[in-house]
Amino acid sequence: MRSFSLILKQFSRSVLLIAGFAFWSLSTAYAQTDAAKGEAIFKSKCTTCHKIDTRLIGPALGPQLTQETDDKYLIQWIQNNQALIAAKNPKALKIYNEYNQSGMTVFADLSDADVGNIITYVRATWKDMQAKPAGGATAAPGAKVESGPSDMVVYGLIGIIVIAFIVILVLNRVVGSLERILLKNKDLIIEDEVVTPEGAVAVDAKKEFITKILKNKKLVFFILVAGTVAMCSWGWVTLWNTNVHQGYQPVQPIKYSHELHAGIMKIDCQYCHSGAYKSKNASIPSLNVCMNCHKVVKTESEEIHKIYDALGYDPKTQKYDSTAAKPIQWVRIHNLPDLAYFNHSQHVKVGGIKCQQCHGPVQEMKEVYQYSPLTMKWCIQCHKRTEVNGKGNAYYDSILAAHDKIKKGEKVTAAVLGGIECGKCHY
């Protein structure tokens, strides 16, 4: 009987252990399910105004929901914050006034369980964020580097020049030795040799070497030709490229990537450079254009904080301090001489030319550089090969109409050709 009771106790312990393990597994799974449900609701309802780690329109929810342990109050606040404010709840009034009395959306459609799932998700995500080490930024993959001439070609040319020089020196020594032998056979004194009082023959080695080089017409001719070609080539390239800054790529105060914005994100060029379509200058976008996105996007970036500093903007309070604002000192890349008149709108709007035709594949540039030479020759070549498309273009319609009048013998004044437009004189 005693043995039976011992067996029963052991069995009951095992059952309790298994039941406890099952309950723990079930509660873990249930918590995970809560977090998953909470994530879905959070992304559909809350991300417009809130982030977990940083302030957006509303507070950062991670530290806020972690510090506030009264879940009953949180549920009431999320479901109907206006009711708590009307009831003059101290906690509700405090946060309401802290955020300039900005009204939060009422979520009466969310049940207590839904709000609880959101709270679970936010707390769990914030805990994971706190556990991760600071920094940890991964290096971006290396950009493609444009290669110049092949190393093999450069080394090959240098090798040919060196070999040619060595061959000439060897041939020069051979010719000199043969001349010396011939002169000795004829019992003649060589110019570079001096007879000492003892009758010995001494040779001035330095004078002999210089004399051989000067007498070697092939070597002298080779040096003169090579030097002339090198000097002419250097002079031509230097003069031709005076004030031509193709490839110029200055370091800008903010590392703005056109590859990311125009390439990956597909943002239209004229969203930032709005002047290209309607004025002479393409214009540099104001920082307010940047803030249309970056008041919310990538707020943790060091480069974005340079924009905040320039505007005197505090992302924590979302307020601007005009006394702390300072301009961004961008470095100009494309710079035409004053004697040249170029109108962006004339090319972009009237001509229908793509930005890339002059500025190159900007959508692939991490840092912008001057792609085209922007010389007079380059512009003329483009004007010669670019076909004018006058269909549906009011500008060309007026030009063609003026030509038709000329053909008919009708009077055509400068005004008909746009001679009284302000921009013709005042640009």
Side-chain angles (χ1 to χ4, degrees):
M1 190 69 179
R2 183 179 294 178
S3 61
F4 177 74
S5 62
L6 289 173
I7 292 171
L8 187 60
K9 285 180 180 180
Q10 291 292 337
F11 177 74
S12 61
R13 288 176 182 174
S14 300
V15 170
L16 288 172
L17 183 62
I18 293 171
F21 180 76
F23 177 77
W24 175 79
S25 301
L26 184 63
S27 62
T28 303
Y30 181 71
Q32 290 175 348
T33 304
D34 286 350
K37 289 180 180 178
E39 180 181 9
I41 300 171
F42 178 83
K43 288 182 177 178
S44 64
K45 301 278 189 181
C46 310
T47 50
T48 304
C49 301
H50 293 283
K51 283 188 174 183
I52 293 177
D53 55 339
T54 56
R55 172 174 174 164
L56 199 55
I57 296 173
L61 291 184
Q64 192 80 22
L65 298 189
T66 301
Q67 293 169 7
E68 179 56 66
T69 57
D70 187 353
D71 288 359
K72 184 178 179 181
Y73 160 74
L74 289 174
I75 291 171
Q76 291 176 349
W77 169 263
I78 293 171
Q79 289 176 334
N80 192 350
N81 62 93
Q82 296 300 323
L84 288 175
I85 294 170
K88 299 190 182 301
N89 182 288
K91 293 181 180 179
L93 287 174
K94 180 183 177 183
I95 195 167
Y96 180 61
N97 292 325
E98 182 181 346
Y99 285 84
N100 301 320
Q101 298 185 351
S102 299
M104 175 179 162
T105 306
V106 174
F107 295 104
D109 57 320
L110 295 180
S111 65
D112 291 359
D114 291 335
V115 177
N117 292 339
I118 294 173
I119 295 171
T120 301
Y121 163 70
V122 171
R123 286 173 176 168
T125 305
W126 176 243
K127 184 178 179 181
D128 292 341
M129 288 180 175
Q130 294 295 99
K132 289 180 181 178
T138 56
K144 292 182 180 179
V145 179
E146 294 184 4
S147 58
S150 170
D151 292 341
M152 184 176 293
V153 173
V154 176
Y155 294 142
L157 291 173
I158 295 173
I160 290 171
I161 293 172
V162 172
I163 291 171
F165 188 73
I166 293 173
V167 168
I168 290 173
L169 287 179
V170 171
L171 290 175
N172 182 49
R173 292 185 67 85
V174 171
V175 171
S177 300
L178 292 174
E179 287 179 350
R180 191 181 298 278
I181 292 171
L182 289 173
L183 291 172
K184 283 185 177 180
N185 290 337
K186 293 180 181 180
D187 296 328
L188 297 175
I189 299 175
I190 303 172
E191 291 180 2
D192 297 333
E193 292 180 348
V194 179
V195 179
T196 61
E198 293 80 11
V201 179
V203 180
D204 188 347
K206 185 182 292 185
K207 185 177 179 181
E208 179 189 15
F209 178 74
I210 295 173
T211 303
K212 285 181 179 179
I213 291 179
L214 294 176
K215 284 185 176 181
N216 190 329
K217 297 179 180 179
K218 293 180 181 179
L219 178 60
V220 172
F221 178 76
F222 175 78
I223 293 174
L224 289 175
V225 170
T228 303
V229 171
M231 289 298 294
C232 290
S233 299
W234 176 80
W236 176 265
V237 171
T238 301
L239 293 173
W240 186 260
N241 291 314
T242 300
N243 286 331
V244 177
H245 306 292
Q246 188 174 14
Y248 177 55
Q249 188 180 38
V251 177
Q252 300 290 357
I254 295 178
K255 295 179 181 178
Y256 178 86
S257 172
H258 279 78
E259 180 188 46
L260 173 62
H261 293 80
I264 298 173
M265 305 301 295
K266 306 294 183 186
I267 297 175
D268 189 88
C269 299
Q270 293 178 40
Y271 177 78
C272 298
H273 303 285
S274 56
Y277 192 74
K278 59 187 179 182
S279 70
K280 175 179 179 287
N281 298 310
S283 70
I284 298 174
S286 68
L287 296 181
N288 291 328
V289 176
C290 306
M291 291 295 286
N292 288 342
C293 297
H294 289 294
K295 196 172 183 180
V296 177
V297 179
K298 295 288 287 183
T299 55
E300 72 281 359
S301 168
E302 180 181 346
E303 299 302 315
I304 302 304
H305 274 267
K306 292 179 182 179
I307 298 175
Y308 295 164
D309 294 341
L311 287 170
Y313 174 76
D314 186 351
K316 294 181 179 178
T317 61
Q318 296 191 340
K319 292 182 179 180
Y320 293 88
D321 180 6
S322 59
T323 60
K326 54 185 180 296
I328 295 291
Q329 297 182 355
W330 299 105
V331 181
R332 185 165 188 167
I333 300 173
H334 306 86
N335 192 15
L336 293 177
D338 293 339
L339 56 90
Y341 173 77
F342 179 84
N343 190 309
H344 272 86
S345 63
Q346 189 174 0
H347 291 76
V348 176
K349 185 177 181 180
V350 179
I353 293 175
K354 300 280 187 184
C355 304
Q356 287 81 354
Q357 190 163 333
C358 297
H359 295 289
V362 178
Q363 71 279 4
E364 298 174 5
M365 298 182 188
K366 287 191 174 180
E367 291 186 39
V368 173
Y369 58 90
Q370 184 174 317
Y371 178 81
S372 303
L374 304 182
T375 59
M376 181 177 176
K377 176 185 177 182
W378 178 79
C379 293
I380 290 174
Q381 286 177 339
C382 181
H383 287 182
K384 284 183 176 179
R385 65 172 177 263
T386 302
E387 184 178 353
V388 174
N389 182 12
K391 294 181 180 179
N393 192 315
Y395 178 84
Y396 289 122
D397 287 343
S398 63
I399 297 294
L400 295 174
H403 280 280
D404 290 337
K405 285 185 176 183
I406 293 172
K407 290 177 183 178
K408 294 176 182 178
E410 297 179 13
K411 181 180 178 181
V412 177
T413 64
V416 174
L417 299 176
I420 58 175
E421 294 176 4
C422 303
K424 290 290 183 181
C425 300
H426 302 287
Y427 59 83

PDB file of all heavy atoms in Angstrom, residues 53 107 412:
ATOM      1  N   ASP A  53      10.829  54.713 -30.787  1.00  0.00           N
ATOM      2  CA  ASP A  53      12.077  55.163 -30.168  1.00  0.00           C
ATOM      3  C   ASP A  53      12.276  56.679 -30.184  1.00  0.00           C
ATOM      4  O   ASP A  53      13.048  57.207 -29.391  1.00  0.00           O
ATOM      5  CB  ASP A  53      13.274  54.494 -30.850  1.00  0.00           C
ATOM      6  CG  ASP A  53      13.272  54.718 -32.348  1.00  0.00           C
ATOM      7  OD1 ASP A  53      12.200  55.013 -32.908  1.00  0.00           O
ATOM      8  OD2 ASP A  53      14.338  54.582 -32.974  1.00  0.00           O
ATOM      9  N   PHE A 107      -9.927  56.278 -30.711  1.00  0.00           N
ATOM     10  CA  PHE A 107     -10.017  54.930 -31.279  1.00  0.00           C
ATOM     11  C   PHE A 107     -11.075  54.119 -30.527  1.00  0.00           C
ATOM     12  O   PHE A 107     -10.779  53.135 -29.839  1.00  0.00           O
ATOM     13  CB  PHE A 107      -8.654  54.224 -31.192  1.00  0.00           C
ATOM     14  CG  PHE A 107      -7.593  54.870 -32.027  1.00  0.00           C
ATOM     15  CD1 PHE A 107      -6.616  55.649 -31.439  1.00  0.00           C
ATOM     16  CD2 PHE A 107      -7.577  54.716 -33.403  1.00  0.00           C
ATOM     17  CE1 PHE A 107      -5.627  56.261 -32.209  1.00  0.00           C
ATOM     18  CE2 PHE A 107      -6.599  55.324 -34.175  1.00  0.00           C
ATOM     19  CZ  PHE A 107      -5.626  56.094 -33.580  1.00  0.00           C
ATOM     20  N   VAL A 412       6.462  91.109 -90.414  1.00  0.00           N
ATOM     21  CA  VAL A 412       6.816  90.385 -89.185  1.00  0.00           C
ATOM     22  C   VAL A 412       7.711  91.297 -88.343  1.00  0.00           C
ATOM     23  O   VAL A 412       8.812  91.649 -88.769  1.00  0.00           O
ATOM     24  CB  VAL A 412       7.549  89.065 -89.479  1.00  0.00           C
ATOM     25  CG1 VAL A 412       7.957  88.391 -88.179  1.00  0.00           C
ATOM     26  CG2 VAL A 412       6.658  88.133 -90.290  1.00  0.00           C
TER      27      VAL A 412
END
